[in-house]
Amino acid sequence: MTGIVIAIDGPAGTGKSTVAREVARRLKLSYFDTGATYRVGTLWCLREGVDLTNKDDVAAMVATMNVQLVMNPDNPSIVLDGEDVSRLIRSDTVALSVSKVATNLDARAILGQWQKDVIAAEREGGYSEGRGVVAEGRDITTIIAPDADVRVLMTADEDVRVARRAGEGADAATVREAVLGRDKQDATVVEFHTAADGVVTVDTTDLTIEEAVQAVLTLAKQSS
């Protein structure tokens, strides 16, 4: 018997990361923030002086990354060349540049295959020891894991999403550009505002985190 895969997509600020981590924690699953793969790819290119507008160079550089994922929902992290870069990939510099990597179709294909491999490994073993994984991102329900046991699209009002991110202590103007700007760029290569067939929409605009978590846990229970 293989483990469960719960796929959660949606734009930034919907609460999907917080919900995904909590669901993974309660079900004793691995937690996989697929967006971190694009962020670490961006950081790697910036460190190596790669022009992010040069699509071939970016794809080639992304393919050379030495990255380890720590998929513990209590303390997820990403290690690049032996260095924990979990905080660095959340910097404004990376946030404002990551769409150049995420919309690079060749780089996206490389990172997408890595994501598929990680999810497949968690079905059989990996950090979860085969219990499964909660993976969140933009295209998990449609491209990366369309056969996931649970597929959810999280949405929320635009102003609410920006306010949530700004409330985390970042500059409001920077947050708006990072959140809405990336949404606009990423929407050119993947649909994450409208649920595909078989994907359940959870609008978190007026939900507490606990209510959103319960909504996903209910879907997981129904799938078993």
Side-chain angles (χ1 to χ4, degrees):
M1 182 176 179
T2 58
I4 188 173
V5 175
I6 299 174
I8 303 177
D9 284 334
T14 58
K16 67 180 186 292
S17 296
T18 302
V19 171
R21 284 183 64 178
E22 185 59 24
V23 169
R25 184 180 295 113
R26 295 191 192 184
L27 296 181
K28 301 187 185 311
L29 307 178
S30 293
Y31 165 66
F32 186 18
D33 170 14
T34 63
T37 66
Y38 296 103
R39 287 175 175 271
V40 74
T42 302
L43 178 65
W44 180 235
C45 287
L46 291 172
R47 283 187 167 183
E48 296 298 309
V50 173
D51 179 356
L52 295 182
T53 64
N54 187 317
K55 296 186 177 182
D56 291 340
D57 286 356
V58 168
M61 186 58 64
V62 164
T64 70
M65 288 192 300
N66 175 25
V67 177
Q68 291 81 44
L69 299 171
V70 178
M71 302 176 70
N72 179 352
D74 288 319
N75 188 29
S77 60
I78 190 160
V79 180
L80 174 64
D81 268 353
E83 176 190 359
D84 187 337
V85 295
S86 305
R87 294 174 70 90
L88 290 175
I89 64 173
R90 305 293 170 184
S91 68
D92 289 345
T93 300
V94 171
L96 294 173
S97 302
V98 65
S99 278
K100 292 184 177 66
V101 175
T103 58
N104 179 325
L105 297 183
D106 290 338
R108 193 173 188 89
I110 293 167
L111 295 173
Q113 186 57 55
W114 177 25
Q115 293 163 18
K116 291 177 182 179
D117 292 344
V118 168
I119 291 171
E122 291 300 323
R123 277 190 180 274
E124 305 294 339
Y127 173 82
S128 72
E129 300 180 340
R131 288 184 297 273
V133 60
V134 181
E136 53 109 340
R138 305 279 206 189
D139 60 358
I140 314 307
T141 63
T142 54
I143 303 299
I144 304 303
D147 59 345
D149 303 276
V150 177
R151 296 190 297 156
V152 174
L153 178 70
M154 285 198 171
T155 64
D157 178 80
E158 184 178 285
D159 289 337
V160 169
R161 293 193 290 113
V162 172
R164 285 172 177 169
R165 283 297 176 87
E168 295 170 3
D171 175 73
T174 301
V175 168
R176 179 167 287 274
E177 173 58 27
V179 171
L180 302 186
R182 185 179 178 194
D183 281 356
K184 183 177 180 181
Q185 290 295 319
D186 286 3
T188 65
V189 294
V190 62
E191 172 56 66
F192 54 89
H193 291 288
T194 304
D197 289 346
V199 177
V200 178
T201 298
V202 176
D203 188 334
T204 67
T205 301
D206 299 314
L207 296 183
T208 65
I209 291 298
E210 180 59 25
E211 288 170 337
V213 168
Q214 287 300 326
V216 177
L217 289 175
T218 297
L219 293 171
K221 184 175 182 180
Q222 291 172 349
S223 74
S224 61

